[in-house]
Amino acid sequence: EDKPVVGLVMKSLANEFFQNMLEGAEAHAAERGDYELRAVGMQNETDFESQINAVENFITQGVDAIVIAPADSKAMVRPIKKAIAAGITVVNFDVSLDADAKKEQGLELAFVGPDNRGGAKMAGDALAQALGEGAKVVIIEGNPGADNATQRRLGFEDSVAEYKLDLLDSRTAHWETEEANQVFSTMLTAHPDLQGVMAANDSMAIGVVKALENAGRDDILVVGFDNVPAVGPMIEDGRMLATVDQFGQKMAADAIDLALEVVAGGPELEGWVKTNIELVTKK
Amino acid sequence: MTDHTTNTPNEGISMHRVIERIGIHNISLLVALVGLLVIFGVLRGDVFFSTRNLLNIGMGVAILGVLAISQTGVIVSGGLDISVGSIVGLTTVATAMTIQATDMAGLGLLAGIVIGGLAGLVNGLLITYGRINAVIVTLGTMAIFRGVAFILSNGQSISIFNDSFRWIGTGRILGLPAPIWVLIAVAIGFYTFMHKSIVGRNYYAIGGNPIVARLSGLKIPNYRVAIYVVSGVMAGVGGILLAARTGSGQPISGSDGLELEAITAAFLGGCAMQGGRGTVVGALLGVAIIGVLNNGMILTAVPTFYQMLAKGTLLILAVFLAEYRLNKN
Amino acid sequence: MPQNILTVSELKKHFGGVRALDGVSFSLTRGETHALVGENGAGKSTLIKTLSGAFPFDSGDIVLDDAPYRPDSPHEAKARGLQVVHQEFNLLNHLSVAENISIEAMPRTRFGILDRAEMNRRARAALDAIGLGDIDVRATVQSLGIAHRQLVEIARALQSDSSILILDEPTATLTERETKRLFDIVADIKSRGVTVVFVTHHLNEVFAICDRVTIFRNGKTIATEVIAETTPAAVVRHMVGRELATERNTYQNRDISGKCALSTHNLKVASNPHPEGLDIAVHYGEIVGIAGLVGAGRTEFLRGIFAADPIVSGHLARNGTPMVFRSPRDAISAGIAFVTEDRKEEGLILDMPISANVSLANMASVSGHGLMRFGLERQRAEDHRAKLQIKCGSVSDAASSMSGGNQQKVVLAKWLARTPEVLILDEPTRGVDVGAKAEIYGILRKLAQEGAGLLIVSSELPELMTLCDRILVMANHRIVGSVSRDDFTEEHILKLAYGQNGTEEGTIA
Amino acid sequence: MTTETRMLSAPSRRAVSVRAIINNAGIGLALLALILFFSLASEFFLTANNITNILTQITINLILAVGMTFVILIGGIDLSVGSVMAFAAVVAGKAITLPGLGVVELIALACVAGLLTGLISGLLNGVISAYWGLPSFIITLGMLNIARGAALHVSDAQTIYSFPFAFEEFGSALIYGVPVVFLVALLITLLAWFVLNWTVFGRLLYGIGNNEEAVRLAGHHVFWLKVAAFTICGFTAGIAAIIYMARLSISSPIAGIGFELNAIAAVIIGGTSLAGGRGSVIGTLLGAFIIGVLANGLILIGLNDFMRQMITGVVIIVAVILDHYRAKYSAT
Ligand SMILES: Nc1ncnc2c1ncn2[C@@H]1O[C@H](COP(=O)(O)OP(=O)(O)OP(=O)(O)O)[C@@H](O)[C@H]1O
Ligand SMILES: Nc1ncnc2c1ncn2[C@@H]1O[C@H](COP(=O)(O)OP(=O)(O)OP(=O)(O)O)[C@@H](O)[C@H]1O
Ligand SMILES: O[C@@H]1[C@H](O)[C@H](O)CO[C@H]1O
Ligand SMILES: [Mg+2]
Ligand SMILES: [Mg+2]
């Protein structure tokens, strides 16, 4: 009965990445059996308020730990600080809080998550190598205020620089499929000679692939990020070139494990607990 | 009847009527649309008028068009249906699951239409017999239908591998993509229904003044329920198109403000909030304006924020043209 | 042996605390024309609404064609052969005249599609039958004047075959000429065996066309009389429960040598087809009437003066000083008040309390520093309720809960509350009962006596002839004559209104 | 949508609005029932801490909804409030992070800048829709895009942060457990209630919603009255922006997406008619509470996200059905 309670705060459950993560977390809780999991998500990726509300509600419920993937790297600093002040162990995973904002609020908190910039560069490099130097590419970005979105854009830009690609356009679609579909459809019309697309996550990559199918184009290469189940077949049949697996289920499970260790009296986490990434291409 | 003085007002009235026949409002919308085409044509003449881009626009608005047209029917009757986006999501799931289970495209279509119709029936019954404001009911059912979709699909997207079904989303007839044909069919069907049929006329009566309509002996409850069922079925058609296009059923699809865009197109097209006014042609023009705007904006590659500024301004200008001229007359 | 087609016994219906019908009993024989009369709020319209299925009744019995009758909906009432023209307008303003006329049974083609040509043809025929040759059946109803709307409604009611036709104050918005035509129509359908129920406040109409009359008072039927065996005075006595003082309706000479309160010079409104506008002058203490046929342009002219609609050209002067009114607000601050023609569309805020309606044009008097003083507002409303004998449950009830005539009195109260220097009235006593009419006349006269200038448009010549010092006659947007009190005769005024140049035949309804 | 029953039941809206509270009894009952249910279902629900949470969480929606009530009462709608809030927040955010000014000046400047931004946006909505008689649905939808674009432009699509400490303190300050920001919202609500029920201005707004022509012919400046309603709504979006900043310590150009729908929902649940002319700000308060309590309570009892959405839908419909019966019985 006295099991510790872990509140897991995710982002948009419309994204398969988090759907998948949720399942993984539930399985993990069932498997370990020594803690109680309470998980919440958001309506959409820009709904910061509801994420803050979720944290506040967890404070009220007096959970032992909060494991959170912030929607905005700056906005979530204060509520997290409040949770820590309430004696709750907080683990920040997936999206790192903003370093400056943390410093300013006097908050020290470790980050559990992948090297987003490095990961994006892996995908970008794969694309560049397939297309060759000087190829025309575009980037579809995540939420401007989210640190991992920034890191992934930088990673793609690293590839652009290294392989002297021609970057035609770079726009946000706020991590969402439909928006990416619209944004990219028109990018395609504006730049019919486009050769490659770097999407900052798979949700948006799927939107891009659908747009390509509708336009009847199979000559444009797409890379994504996340390795959600839905892109598996796309990589197999060539509609996508590559994605980066960041092992979302494991990431969440690790973050929970780490949180529980601290709750059980272990040492505070520090710095960056890097999690695994891996380039996924056609086998 | 024969002398000069009596004919003057008469002539005034019939002149007025000639314009009215085409629809002053529609003429103005057409002007707005042509204006947009000219602007984008000049700015991006290279690609804007390419067949591919025009088809892109068409594909982009096919689903929206279906929804905007049926929304026009609902608004004319004095109601509003905010739940259509959710119904689209729900029907993509229902269709995908049916096809996954049976691999029969026809059953998938049936499932989409039946589920859409049932959802609409729920709306209609609650609004008519529960006597609740349509906005509230459909605001509520918007959440409910979305929830049902998630529960059915367990939050996952469901792939559709049936090729004949997917053809609905990607196939072409006479060079035009199938969804555009669907839109054309829906438009013609609704045009006949709203403007040529007796039942359609009665919707204008009910929306224009329900008290009068009742005193004239119309059975308003039946009409009300029916229009929401129609709206649900049309959302089902939208769902089928979406599922066929994306080759999957996704509980989340249709949640990105599709209903708002449909309502916007209807209002742009001349619907009045109070009901009793609005036309199918107007709705189509509204949809075209929105589609061209969205497409042209990205083509001209102005930064996102200027795009939004421009989109907002153009929307206002479009109604300004349409309504102000109307008021002046 | 006349056979009863409809028998109503002990019918009751209440709205909250108001007993609108408190034991109504009467019967209709087949083929008769039966008048219902009674003061404002006596319950006539309520009875008609229950008969037409618009709302249910509490208790009592109705027998229709020897079968019990308790309609759930207007649909059912129509199916049983009852057709009603209600007192308040019931047209769909955005639809065409033809569509309105055919709304109950639209003609269809073989394919079930609306047969527009046939619909227009039927509407044309229906309008021609009641003499409305000059209305375009494809025009929207909102482009019609109020009298035309009334006639369109009557045309609609005549569309379907019914055994009972109920007309609730159909003549309230009609001038003599249309009224006559309506009577011909009534005679015609009566000859076809249809029973006609006819509500009016004009007793002469009752005596002109009805066979019997049932008198209402306070929700009860007081008596049913055979017209041939009674007199107007007897009917009025039943209505008000006392003898009506007649001397109140006589004209009193006043001093009208006062200054010119309001004058127009070449004032032209948009609908005026002529190059030149209108010239009129109203002096302090004077009551000027404007007579004319429906569509003569009187309403538009008044609206132009008040800046309710923009004027095209011409001038307007108050106290001899030229003024430009950009909105009704300007007109009001210049001391003008305007009782509009259509109380439902322009006069009242139906959902708001009676007291709020009374103070609407005079918010300053019931507020201080922008704050409402509700006690004072109610007090003011009570004063007017007493003064105009407004019948209502409480002044905080919604305006929509009053009978038509009482609503009209509230509109009047709204403007009287400003004690205007110039009062413009468009059909001020439409739907007001005889007793109350006398009250209103008294009030208007008193106002003139106290020095105000009054400009009254009315389609009831007797009304103008009782009240006015001078009557201007309008036809086709021109003033075709000015008649002073000594020359007041209906013939004279009507002759002017119909015009001497013989062109008016098409202009008038 | 409601005109039909209007004629038959002839509602008598009382002027003095202590009655409004009674008129809202149906929604109030629904709210009470919810509270009762959640206190039984979750041990946390009635804790002081959670009550504080609920109050904080409804603050912004309540403020937006109060402004929205004005616009809906005159028969309009304002879809732009979410974007205008973001725009105002970004402008205020720029102001409050200006270098070289004292804390007090910064905060004052930010408030003025944010409120003015909201006010001007609302003014524009009002002037454009009232002057040319254009449907506010489209005009404010246009403003939704314009304000969002402006917010992205001004902020260069970046989140603005690093506000004075005192300002952030205000966002989380409590008085006896009641968030100060909620008190601000409550104050605004009371002010609005007062304005709508006790001033001539408020009376005329109701009048316009019912019969604009009658109000015009009675000599009132319908144009300015309508403009004022929209301006108030924009102004409250400005207030919401300041509160948003104080609460979140950031100004995000993508904040407030979809907030207009929540605000409209609160107003409608509170019994204000979309057709205009009928409703009350007390109803809006209750409507905002219903939405807030539901959102909070359903998380507390551990419902998953999709069930939560569904139940929210069901409760809203049921609350309004309840209200319908309340109105029916109190009328007879
Ligand atoms: N919907 C309603 N709600 C409340 N009271 C009503 C309603 N309709 C009518 N009444 C009341 O019922 C009584 C009868 O009204 P009714 O309209 O039948 O009078 P009437 O005889 O037709 O009068 P008028 O000659 O003025 O038209 C009035 O006191 C009126 O205030
Ligand atoms: N909105 C309108 N559009 C077109 N014609 C109109 C409109 N309003 C009125 N008319 C026409 O203008 C003429 C003048 O109407 P007006 O209402 O001023 O006449 P009136 O003398 O006041 O008669 P009454 O009020 O008794 O009908 C009529 O022929 C009428 O049908
Ligand atoms: O890392 C995650 C995923 O990449 C997801 O697709 C969007 O949100 C990010 O935070
Ligand atoms: Mg009556
Ligand atoms: Mg007139």
Side-chain angles (χ1 to χ4, degrees), chain C residues 202 312 334 350 354 389:
Chain C
H202 303 286
V312 178
L350 285 172
I354 295 164
Q389 301 188 347

Side-chain angles (χ1 to χ4, degrees), chain D residues 1 4 18 35 53 59 73 83 86 100-101 113 191 193 241 245 283 329:
Chain D
M1 270 160 266
E4 191 184 357
V18 185
I35 292 176
N53 280 354
T59 295
L73 268 182
S83 298
L101 281 178
L191 205 67
W193 172 80
M245 290 166 67
Y329 290 122

Side-chain angles (χ1 to χ4, degrees), chain B residues 1 3 5-6 10 13 17 20 192 195-198 201-202 204-205 209 212 214-217 219 277, chain C residues 53-54 74-75 78 90 92 94 99 103-104 106 108 113-114 116 133-134 136 138 156 476 503 506-507:
Chain B
M1 285 242 116
D3 72 84
T5 44
T6 47
N10 255 4
I13 285 175
R17 252 194 29 72
E20 204 170 74
T192 315
H195 303 296
K196 300 283 176 203
S197 86
I198 290 154
R201 279 289 88 175
N202 288 342
Y204 284 89
N209 191 335
V212 175
R214 195 175 101 90
L215 292 177
S216 306
K219 292 197 166 158
R277 267 188 293 176
Chain C
H75 186 81
K78 284 176 203 296
N90 278 300
L92 297 152
H94 301 311
E99 283 165 336
I103 187 84
E104 283 168 26
M106 298 259 193
R108 57 188 81 205
I113 296 285
L114 174 64
R116 209 175 278 272
D134 66 333
D136 182 350
R138 293 164 302 180
R156 174 171 74 181
N476 191 19
T503 60
T507 320

Side-chain angles (χ1 to χ4, degrees), chain B residues 181-192:
Chain B
W181 284 109
V182 173
L183 174 61
I184 293 173
V186 167
I188 293 176
F190 254 82
Y191 179 82
T192 315

Side-chain angles (χ1 to χ4, degrees), chain A residues 11 15 17-18 45 94-95 116 148 152 175 200-203 225-226 246:
Chain A
K11 300 198 291 167
N15 184 346
F17 178 71
F18 290 108
E45 291 278 350
D94 182 29
V95 182
N116 280 296
N148 59 343
R152 287 178 202 178
W175 302 121
N201 77 352
D202 283 346
S203 289
F225 201 112
D226 279 356
Q246 57 168 336

